[in-house]
Amino acid sequence: MILHIDIISIVPELLDSPFRHSILQRAQSRGLLNVNVIDLRAYGLGKNRQIDDYQYGGGAGMVMMAEPIYLAIQTLKKERSYDEIIYMTPDGEKLNQQMANQLSLHENILLICGHYKGIDERLREHCITREISIGDYVLSGGELAAAVMVDAIGRLIPGVLNDETSALLDSFQDGLLSPAVYTRPADFLGWKVPDVLLSGHEAAIENWREQSALERTQKKRPDLLDDEL
Ligand code: 6GU
């Protein structure tokens, strides 16, 4: 199975590089992920290929017009049937690991990147199936948020990570942060690696890791522990 992600953007150049390296590159070369960026300008209106306009009621800031985005969606829908048509917006549902897990099980996803004041509300009512934010801060456009989400989703597709278990051990997958990790040398400037990790005792190591994960979560993200109650 392959996850196909289409992304509608007015700045497609912003999405040139993020998927061409490292794990997402591998996901695509293994045929597990396919990311396709569509330039909204191609669906712009008139000879200027207009895609935004002043907002009704007045006020500063442009609004992305309904028709170009609608035309783009209709055209893309002829090719594939989307499990979700997602509008990337700071007032959407906040992305978390659980949502990334669910989205990674889909086959076709369409992402729409907002700009300016956002898109005409009628698209949100009639065409969008889901609205997602990557956190409580405002970016100048949805592209970087879309790249973050595609990364979070893409690495979860079965077969993308070499060690099939490694995504399961990520921070957040079990509601905890990941344990501390160390590599050689065992002594760096007198800063020592915990003895237990050098001991070869698997059970003791596993125990230490669980303890480390719990301690870090308590210290850095106590809210994650509250959520479980
Ligand atoms: Cl999805 N878009 C924008 N413009 N800003 C954001 C965001 C999305 N998520 C967090 N901030």
Side-chain angles (χ1 to χ4, degrees):
M1 218 188 64
I2 173 163
L3 172 57
H4 182 96
I5 303 179
D6 284 326
I7 309 176
I8 296 176
S9 165
I10 62 167
V11 202
E13 299 81 7
L14 272 177
L15 296 166
D16 277 350
S17 168
F19 315 124
R20 288 199 283 106
H21 308 280
S22 184
I23 287 171
L24 293 191
Q25 160 62 39
R26 194 168 71 208
Q28 293 181 89
S29 61
R30 285 184 182 174
L32 300 168
L33 173 69
N34 184 12
V35 183
N36 176 38
V37 182
I38 295 102
D39 188 351
L40 182 63
R41 194 61 72 172
Y43 298 91
L45 307 184
K47 67 174 190 315
N48 291 328
R49 302 241 160 259
Q50 186 182 358
I51 45 93
D52 60 350
D53 208 337
Y54 298 102
Q55 56 176 316
Y56 277 122
M62 305 295 274
V63 175
M64 292 174 76
M65 301 165 81
E67 187 172 350
I69 294 175
Y70 182 80
L71 283 174
I73 294 174
Q74 293 309 313
T75 304
L76 292 165
K77 268 185 167 176
K78 286 181 194 148
E79 290 296 315
R80 44 182 49 84
S81 136
Y82 293 103
D83 300 297
E84 298 273 17
I85 299 180
I86 302 171
Y87 174 42
M88 301 305 301
T89 176
D91 63 8
E93 180 189 3
K94 208 192 296 179
L95 182 66
N96 61 30
Q97 195 65 29
Q98 194 196 334
M99 285 158 68
N101 283 331
Q102 289 165 355
L103 292 168
S104 74
L105 302 175
H106 288 323
E107 286 181 44
N108 293 293
I109 296 175
L110 174 57
L111 303 181
I112 297 168
C113 303
H115 272 263
Y116 321 118
K117 286 279 172 198
I119 65 175
D120 190 295
E121 186 68 19
R122 291 166 290 187
L123 288 169
R124 300 176 73 158
E125 283 167 21
H126 299 288
C127 304
I128 303 293
T129 64
R130 199 159 181 183
E131 302 181 330
I132 297 180
S133 158
I134 63 162
D136 292 340
Y137 42 84
V138 177
L139 303 170
S140 49
E143 282 77 9
L144 297 181
V148 164
M149 195 165 80
V150 170
D151 189 307
I153 295 169
R155 61 192 294 286
L156 294 172
I157 300 169
V160 169
L161 297 180
N162 277 329
D163 181 351
E164 276 279 11
T165 63
S166 62
L168 297 175
L169 298 178
D170 284 344
S171 282
F172 304 111
Q173 281 294 3
D174 57 1
L176 295 177
L177 300 181
S178 292
V181 293
Y182 301 86
T183 187
R184 293 187 292 176
D187 181 331
F188 176 66
L189 306 176
W191 305 334
K192 304 263 182 23
V193 171
D195 284 335
V196 61
L197 297 179
L198 310 176
S199 70
H201 291 125
E202 272 184 46
I205 291 170
E206 188 47 38
N207 202 35
W208 182 90
R209 287 188 171 143
E210 278 170 26
Q211 200 54 39
S212 169
L214 198 56
E215 275 169 21
R216 296 193 145 200
T217 311
Q218 264 154 0
K219 194 163 157 217
K220 298 174 194 246
R221 292 293 306 276
D223 58 300
L224 293 177
L225 298 170
D226 299 342
D227 282 355
E228 288 194 355
L229 300 177

